Amino acid sequence: GEDVEQSLFLSVREGDSSVINCTYTDSSSTYLYWYKQEPGAGLQLLTYIFSNMDMKQDQRLTVLLNKKDKHLSLRIADTQTGDSAIYFCAENAGTYKYIFGTGTRLKVLA
Amino acid sequence: EAEVAQSPRYKITEKSQAVAFWCDPISGHATLYWYRQILGQGPELLVQFQDESVVDDSQLPKDRFSAERLKGVDSTLKIQPAELGDSAMYLCASSSLTEAFFGQGTRLTVV
C-alpha cells in the first residue's frame, strides 16, 4: 500500500541546519516532493527529486534520496525564523496521484 | 505568476446545510485535485480529475460530497448536508507533468 511517514516535530536554533526525514512505501514512485505550509495557508512546493537521482541542491535546500531504504530527507542550511512551518513529504504514486505524509512541524528558535 | 484560485477563503455553516467551494486551476493544467486536510494531519485526496473526467474518487464520501469539472477547467466541490466532522481545510491543486501547485484553501467550520 501507499504510506508516507514523518516525525512530527523538529526544533532547531537559528543559523543551524535542519534535517527533516521521511519514509515512503511505494517503490514505483517516480517523483518525491517537499512542500511547506505556513499557518492558515495552502501548500507551497519547495522542491522535488526524480527517483533516479540521489541528491538535489537548490540554494539552502538539499534533498537526499535513498531509494533502497525508501528514505527521503530535506536539509535546510542556515535555518531562519521564517522557515518555521510544517513540512510535508509527498510521493507521486503513479497516475499523478500525490500521497502526503503527516507533516513535520519545524520550530526555529531565535 | 500563475496560481490556483480558490473561494471562499473561509466558510462557516450550520450542520445540515449545503456548502460549495470553487477552484480555478492554473491554465493548461489538465489534472485537478481536491484534498481535505484535518487540523494536524496531512492532506488526503478526495477526488482527482483528468480534464472533465474523474480519475479517482475512492475516498470521496459520495452520500454527501459531490464534485464536478464540467468543462475541464474550473471545479466545484459540494457538501450536502454538512456535518460537524466536515470541519477542515479544503485544498485544491492542479498539476503539470511533474509538479502539483496548491491554492490557499477554504477553511470550513461547521457549527
Side-chain angles (χ1 to χ4, degrees):
Chain A
E2 304 151 342
D3 198 13
V4 179
E5 294 187 355
Q6 301 178 238
S7 53
L8 292 179
F9 300 101
L10 177 65
S11 180
V12 299
R13 295 208 174 273
E14 191 174 18
D16 288 350
S17 293
S18 308
V19 179
I20 303 170
N21 295 301
C22 167
T23 57
Y24 61 97
T25 56
D26 191 339
S27 57
S28 66
S29 293
T30 308
Y31 293 93
L32 294 132
Y33 303 81
W34 285 103
Y35 284 84
K36 176 184 180 182
Q37 187 177 35
E38 299 186 19
L43 275 68
Q44 174 194 352
L45 177 63
L46 289 177
T47 186
Y48 65 94
I49 188 167
F50 189 48
S51 60
N52 69 353
M53 297 170 64
D54 297 325
M55 185 182 85
K56 180 179 180 181
Q57 187 154 2
D58 185 359
Q59 299 182 331
R60 292 191 298 122
L61 305 179
T62 303
V63 178
L64 295 177
L65 175 61
N66 181 330
K67 199 171 180 182
K68 174 176 170 289
D69 295 337
K70 300 192 186 72
H71 183 266
L72 184 74
S73 68
L74 175 69
R75 178 177 180 269
I76 306 173
D78 187 24
T79 311
Q80 303 297 306
T81 54
D83 295 325
S84 292
I86 302 175
Y87 290 80
F88 290 95
C89 166
E91 60 176 346
N92 185 326
T95 63
Y96 304 107
K97 181 177 177 180
Y98 292 77
I99 307 296
F100 288 84
T102 51
T104 299
R105 184 179 295 274
L106 173 66
K107 183 174 181 179
V108 182
L109 305 172
Chain B
E1 185 176 307
E3 293 183 342
V4 176
Q6 287 189 251
S7 67
R9 284 295 308 277
Y10 306 94
K11 180 70 177 179
I12 300 174
T13 191
E14 294 183 346
K15 62 180 180 180
S16 80
Q17 295 299 303
V19 64
F21 315 129
W22 177 79
C23 172
D24 191 13
I26 292 173
S27 178
H29 282 187
T31 309
L32 182 148
Y33 313 81
W34 283 102
Y35 282 85
R36 177 170 61 186
Q37 185 180 23
I38 295 169
L39 194 63
Q41 298 182 18
E44 294 181 318
L45 181 68
L46 290 174
V47 62
Q48 178 183 346
F49 288 92
Q50 183 69 24
D51 298 311
E52 67 275 10
S53 300
V54 172
V55 173
D56 185 346
D57 64 356
S58 57
Q59 300 303 309
L60 188 72
K62 297 182 187 64
D63 57 335
R64 298 185 300 108
F65 285 63
S66 64
E68 60 183 19
R69 193 184 183 198
L70 293 176
K71 295 181 180 178
V73 181
D74 58 339
S75 175
T76 303
L77 178 69
K78 296 179 182 176
I79 308 174
Q80 182 175 19
E83 295 180 353
L84 295 177
D86 296 332
S87 294
M89 175 81 93
Y90 290 82
L91 295 163
C92 179
S94 68
S95 74
S96 63
L97 289 177
T98 56
E99 300 163 85
F101 298 92
F102 282 79
Q104 288 298 300
T106 296
R107 179 164 295 283
L108 173 66
T109 302
V110 182
V111 297

